[in-house]
Amino acid sequence: MEKLQKNINSIPVKTWNWLGVNAAILEAEIPVITDYLKQPRHQGCEKGVTITDIRLNRDKIKFMEKKMDAGVSNPMKDFIKSNQNSGYFIEIGDGEKIETPIILQYDLDEHNPTLVDDHFILAHENSEATIIINYTSSCIKNGFHSGVTKVFAQQGAVVHLIKVQMLADQDTHIDAISAITDENGQVDFTLIELGALQTITGCKTQLAGKNSTGTIHSIYFGDQNRKIDINYVLTHQARESLSRIEVRGVLLDHSQKIFRGTLDFIKGSSGSKGKEEEYTVLLSPTVRNRSIPLMLCEEDAVEGQHAVSTGKMDENKLFYLMSRGLSEVEAKKLIIEASFQPILEKIPVTELKNTISTYLRRRLNHAQ
Amino acid sequence: MDKKKTLIEDIDRGLYDIKNKDRYRYKVSKGLTPQIVLDISREKNDPEWMREFRLRSLEIYNEMPMPAWGPSLQELDMDDIVTYVRPDTEMKGKWREVPDDIKNTFERLGIPQAERESLAGVGAQYDSEVVYHSVKEELVKQGVVYTDMESALREYEPMIKEYFMKLVTPNDHKFVALHGAVWSGGSFVYVPPGVQVEIPLQSYFRLNSPGAGQFEHTLIIVDKGAKLHFIEGCSAPKYNVTNLHAGCVELYIKEDASLRYSTIENWSRNMLNLNTKRALVEKNGSIEWVSGSFGSKISMLYPRSILKGEGARAEFSGVTFAAKGQVLDTGAVVIHAAPYTSSNINSRSISKGGGVAVYRGAVKVAPNAHHCKSLVSCESLMLDDLSRSDTLPVIDILNDEVDIGHEAKIGRISDEAIFYLMSRGISEQEAKAMIVRGFAEPIAKELPLEYAVEMNNLINIELEGTIG
């Protein structure tokens, strides 16, 4: 079990040990995984999409998985394989443009406190789809989620995956995404990390096809004693590929966060462009905020950029809002919501967007 | 259109790779045992506490693992490194008494001329022993102490005992422990309160014996309200045997004092340069690092500034040029340990011909260090697709009253910039050269004149190749 809890979210290139940022350590004990009885979807086909139990498609997936990153450490991979209690193989047909988002809703509760999910999304040539996976929980203590989602965007396919995590305050969330793109393929990830006591989330995208695109837009919100560990890696393997990481976060109380964001331009990725940004607002003197924006490059004809900025809330903005009659707490809430808004806008389902806003507001109320 | 690559020739290292006949009279056996350390200590006439310190460091060295990160140090075999070589010459106070071949080497490196021109003193190190040393009279009058570490240990023992390896302790990492055990040579500078040393002090280090490591120790104390500019330069002849440099620099900057520490490292391309540099800055003091890394096979060099007093400041300007066969892993670390401290890191790296340039840095803000500011900016220029350039900064913040920014850019010479310059009538070759020079300019302008000239020459020679 020990190995399983270590070396999660390993940084692609190690740095000084004394900084404690080379990998994440899972603090909670891993509970016994029981059945998850509230499976979010029935299997079946609808308008160009086939959704089946992933276990029935192992042979088919194995072939594709070979050229993909596991997304998690080896012990974790084995753990997920042997403990998996949910998981879908979602196949988007050739040229199908799916208008309605495919939604997987997971809700942990007393009877279903553990979830280990393993998904594979295969978008065939020139198809388009939006998939939303939402994790919520009403567990009082020790809810546990661990899982991996793999995405394969074939030539010209566009996959927008939205993951929303609003687990309960004592829960553990270990989530990984591994994606690969063919020529002109595109994978966009919108990752909303708001709940759980410890969040360890990783996302690895290989831009393997010429002219392919990978983006990650994410927000995190740490308060109380929450620990958030993020590891995003975008690897440019092919010519003229495009990447973008945009992360916005707020930390208060005793919360801690480590953000690792890597843009890796490997040989053969000439003409590629990558951009990475992280903005963090710190609201309490007792937070701990660590950022490691990495850029690795072995190709000359590329453009890479990263920027990180951390600080207190802009006092001019606060002053302006307060001079308009808002209280300090209200003004702060407004500024935070406004900074999250561009990323929340990427969620196409109004209902979910509202749920997130309400959830955020409730948490921010506590924040004063 | 067929894109043309920028091909740049390796520089002519002739001047730096002159090697003299190996003249030594005492060489300890290879490998590192307590007996060797005791031998070194006896040769040095160490006081009791220093001998014990060396032995304790050796124990730590033997226990510590190799670093688990950074460039591979596989080729390093400590059993094969002669740690201590003493040249066949005693301390010389006058230049004319220095043996001719040693003198020639130094003269070719331009040290005596530099001294004649403007420098205050030269503490030149040949192999592991200080062979030539002079301090201008006016410095002595001001009460400034500038001497080699061995003499300092005799003449200023209480002060050395108080400061020696207290900032960089042997527990820090394996090579510092090694340094603690076998250190030899180096400079000691003490600037008394309120003294402004207007002319820069310079020391030039040089390795000359095959397989010899160099473990010089530099200790500088700039007392309250004083000011100093210290220049360290390195150049070594080329050898086939792996050479190790594990020096240590400790800088103490007291209240309201300021120190500028400039370095051009130009070791030969077989050198493993694992140097440790650290500054402790008290209230309203300031440290400025100016660093140029050009030579060596592998460099791991990250000057660390600890801002201990309120209002302390740190600045780092560094340029790294990694060519074929080189892995230059450099950067800067700043620890904000007090309120109202500020730091500014500006790093530029150029890689070509398969060279690897890495920026590795860290900015850490302690819980009590409110109202601190830090800005880190890294830019990397790739001159071809054989090379590699990585940026690995870490930012660790433990309170909320901070203003921290980090930005990094990577890329090649932009076609737009070339186009613009060419549209103004400049040739493509000159346009490219201008851009590369301009890229290093923010660092070059921080260097003292003769070093800036050396660096510009170096870049110019690199760019004289077939560009375009």
Side-chain angles (χ1 to χ4, degrees), chain B residues 306-319:
Chain B
I306 300 164
L307 304 176
K308 187 191 168 199
E310 262 189 47
R313 296 184 309 277
E315 251 183 67
F316 175 89
S317 314
V319 63

Side-chain angles (χ1 to χ4, degrees), chain B residues 12 15 30 76-77 80 108 139 151 162 188 238 277 289 296-297 318 340-341 373 388 390 407 423-424 437 440-441 457:
Chain B
D12 173 16
L15 177 63
K30 293 185 172 189
L76 193 61
D77 178 10
D80 197 36
R108 287 187 151 183
L139 286 181
S151 308
E162 187 185 341
F188 171 69
K238 209 170 196 164
K277 298 182 177 181
W289 303 94
S296 84
K297 180 169 193 186
Y340 303 100
T341 48
K373 283 185 181 173
R388 184 172 180 93
D390 292 349
E407 53 185 45
S423 76
R424 291 285 179 281
R437 277 198 301 270
E441 159 68 16
N457 279 344

Side-chain angles (χ1 to χ4, degrees), chain A residues 116-165:
Chain A
V116 177
D117 59 344
D118 185 6
H119 306 288
F120 198 106
I121 299 161
L122 172 61
H124 284 279
E125 286 182 18
N126 300 315
S127 63
E128 260 183 63
T130 299
I131 294 111
I132 300 174
I133 308 181
N134 186 18
Y135 301 95
T136 56
S137 161
S138 56
C139 288
I140 313 272
K141 56 173 189 176
N142 303 335
F144 179 87
H145 163 244
S146 174
V148 60
T149 306
K150 291 196 173 125
V151 181
F152 182 9
Q154 289 189 346
Q155 212 171 323
V158 180
V159 177
H160 182 195
L161 174 66
I162 299 162
K163 281 201 153 198
V164 182
Q165 185 261 113

Side-chain angles (χ1 to χ4, degrees), chain A residues 249-250 280-283 310-319 321 328-337 339 364, chain B residues 400-402:
Chain A
V250 172
T280 315
V281 177
L282 308 177
L283 294 175
T310 303
K312 265 190 108 83
M313 200 165 269
D314 186 343
E315 281 179 5
N316 293 329
K317 277 188 200 166
L318 267 182
F319 177 80
L321 289 172
E328 191 183 333
V329 176
E330 279 170 353
K332 279 185 177 172
K333 273 160 64 176
L334 194 65
I335 294 171
I336 292 170
E337 279 194 64
S339 88
L364 282 167
Chain B
D400 66 335
E401 285 277 3
V402 295

